[in-house]
Amino acid sequence: MSMGNPVDPVFERAFGGAPALCARAPGRVEVIGNHTDYNGGTVIGAAIDRSVWVAIRARADASMVLVTETMPTPITVKGPIARQGGDAAWGNYPLGVLKALEKRGLERDGGFELAVAADLPLGAGLSSSAALELSSAIAFCEAFDLKLSRSELALACREAENEFVGVPCGILDQGVSAFGEADKLVHIDCRGPTFSVVPTPGGIHFWIFSTRQKHALIESLYSTRHQECMAAVVAVAEVFPDVKLLADIDSARLDTVMDRMPDAIGRRARHVVEEIERVGRASSAFSSGDLNEAGRLLLESHGSSRLLFENSTEELDYLVEVLAETPGVYGARLTGGGFGGAVMAMADESFGAEDAGSVGARFSGRFGAPAEIIHVRMADGASLCK
Ligand code: GLA
């Protein structure tokens, strides 16, 4: 049994006795590559030292009982895996993962008890949902004896989110949570997908400034952007039939077909295509240790999200603007889907809690609400509890 993790006490309180095993998966920052993943492009992220833990124990009867430390009522599912609503909607992540694993051969005779705990803030733009998916996947595979590779795990988790939860996300969040390593960035070529790690020169600190704002329509806005990108592909393919995804065209070729698209669709396409090119330049900058250039590209990426992809907000723009002029900060940008959420700053060691606090103070002075500030380092990906 695992000791000293935050989920064992939650499990014991809910079910009595110890769990059979426990798994942990980290959240992520999207370093650069905004909305490139589902367009078949490249993206760079980092797993962080904030996680979700899942503890599990098989049951002899068929019931599946799920608890989380933040919700008072357990979820009980008897019979087929069914989609949950209302306060129980968080259960769709582990249940969707279980369904995806059953498609891949997971077999079980009975049900289980499952508990969740986290030191990763929920809804702060650090992808707690992917962390819950990956930790659940590892726990289910170990408890019911299914062997899958890391990429199969990431893909099963993405499938759960696409098909069971109903969000058309790409592979970024699950891929980074699965493949992260301390002091390394995760580079994903989303078409394969292929995952690799990029060592960093060291001394990189990420600071998250979460606005804690969530646009009421966030999921539908994300889906709208997804549809707009696919509409751009249809328009481009009329001229270049080899283009199946936006990653198949470069900015020079895109220029020649811009007049075939409505203005907004063209701007979405331009953002994605140029962002993929920026990821390539950022990847070289990180590999050669040129953090100033990498930081400059982060700022450029934010500008493109703001003007072309239009998934930023006044609050996120303000944070980026203040951070850009703060000493010790290489660069800053919105991280993740956008439409609220968080800004991440990449900083050196000279930037500390006091500096972050003054950025926060300027933010609350302007908007009357505090930003949640979280200092994170690059950490290892999902695993069984040690
Ligand atoms: C969310 C999604 C990811 C990715 C980003 C935007 O985090 O879950 O798949 O599309 O938004 O880059």
Side-chain angles (χ1 to χ4, degrees):
M1 193 204 102
S2 42
M3 296 291 292
N5 65 65
V7 76
D8 284 356
V10 179
F11 187 97
E12 276 159 32
R13 256 196 317 276
F15 302 117
L21 61 101
C22 146
R24 176 207 63 89
R28 62 99 187 90
V29 283
E30 174 191 286
V31 177
I32 190 164
N34 194 235
H35 287 256
T36 54
D37 58 358
Y38 56 80
N39 288 297
T42 44
V43 57
I44 298 174
I48 58 174
D49 53 357
R50 298 292 193 107
S51 300
V52 171
W53 283 260
V54 165
I56 194 167
R57 183 171 70 190
R59 271 172 81 112
D61 70 12
S63 301
M64 300 177 256
V65 189
L66 300 89
V67 298
T68 177
E69 58 180 347
T70 51
M71 292 284 176
T73 328
I75 301 171
T76 302
V77 181
K78 294 182 177 153
I81 298 170
R83 212 164 175 281
Q84 308 294 305
D87 279 356
W90 70 268
N92 289 327
Y93 297 102
L95 291 171
V97 165
L98 181 61
K99 203 160 181 182
L101 296 175
E102 289 185 346
K103 265 173 71 180
R104 288 159 176 78
L106 184 139
E107 286 174 12
R108 58 193 168 87
D109 295 332
F112 54 84
E113 290 151 340
L114 180 149
V116 178
D119 69 359
L120 176 63
L122 310 181
L126 298 174
S127 208
S128 51
S129 47
L132 176 54
E133 288 157 6
L134 261 299
S135 48
S136 301
I138 291 187
F140 285 133
C141 284
E142 185 70 13
F144 299 112
D145 203 20
L146 178 70
K147 302 260 172 295
L148 290 181
S149 69
R150 251 163 215 280
S151 20
E152 287 168 323
L153 280 174
L155 287 166
C157 290
R158 179 193 175 188
E159 182 182 297
E161 183 128 0
N162 289 170
E163 292 177 12
F164 198 77
V165 180
V167 180
C169 68
I171 192 69
L172 164 69
D173 307 342
Q174 295 79 9
V176 171
S177 184
F179 282 89
E181 284 182 33
D183 298 323
K184 291 183 183 150
L185 298 166
V186 180
H187 179 279
I188 309 177
D189 184 338
C190 302
R191 194 192 297 275
T194 48
F195 305 92
S196 50
V197 288
V198 183
T200 58
I204 295 182
H205 292 251
F206 290 115
W207 290 82
I208 308 302
F209 296 82
S210 174
T211 62
R212 287 244 155 241
Q213 281 179 320
K214 233 182 156 178
H215 199 291
L217 297 173
I218 189 158
E219 274 162 21
S220 72
L221 285 165
Y222 185 92
S223 303
T224 303
R225 289 295 179 274
H226 186 279
Q227 285 158 15
E228 288 170 338
C229 292
M230 301 310 146
V233 171
V234 171
V236 171
E238 281 171 16
V239 183
F240 300 117
D242 58 311
V243 173
K244 306 278 185 268
L245 288 166
L246 285 175
D248 295 328
I249 189 163
D250 59 21
S251 47
R253 278 213 300 170
L254 181 66
D255 277 346
T256 66
V257 290
M258 283 298 278
D259 58 355
R260 302 183 68 92
M261 288 177 262
D263 182 57
I265 302 292
R267 279 185 285 126
R268 309 300 181 247
R270 178 171 294 289
H271 164 78
V272 170
V273 169
E274 291 179 354
E275 183 78 349
I276 294 170
E277 294 170 351
R278 249 188 308 274
V279 171
R281 292 204 294 279
S283 186
S284 312
F286 280 115
S287 299
S288 64
D290 189 349
L291 297 179
N292 291 318
E293 170 64 2
R296 200 190 59 71
L297 291 163
L298 299 191
L299 291 168
E300 211 178 278
S301 164
H302 183 81
S304 177
S305 296
R306 181 166 68 86
L307 295 171
L308 299 178
F309 211 69
E310 295 181 287
N311 59 335
S312 188
T313 61
E314 200 191 332
E315 288 81 356
L316 297 174
D317 293 343
Y318 181 75
L319 282 167
V320 170
E321 205 180 292
V322 172
L323 284 159
E325 64 194 31
T326 304
V329 174
Y330 294 112
R333 58 180 289 277
L334 70 82
T335 185
F339 309 112
V343 158
M344 72 88 168
M346 183 172 81
D348 65 21
E349 263 148 20
S350 73
F351 180 92
E354 242 176 66
D355 304 297
S358 359
V359 174
R362 282 181 67 183
F363 180 85
S364 43
R366 166 82 177 258
F367 295 103
E372 183 179 7
I373 303 172
I374 310 159
H375 176 202
V376 296
R377 303 298 304 268
M378 286 172 268
D380 285 340
S383 63
L384 283 170
C385 293
K386 303 239 163 56

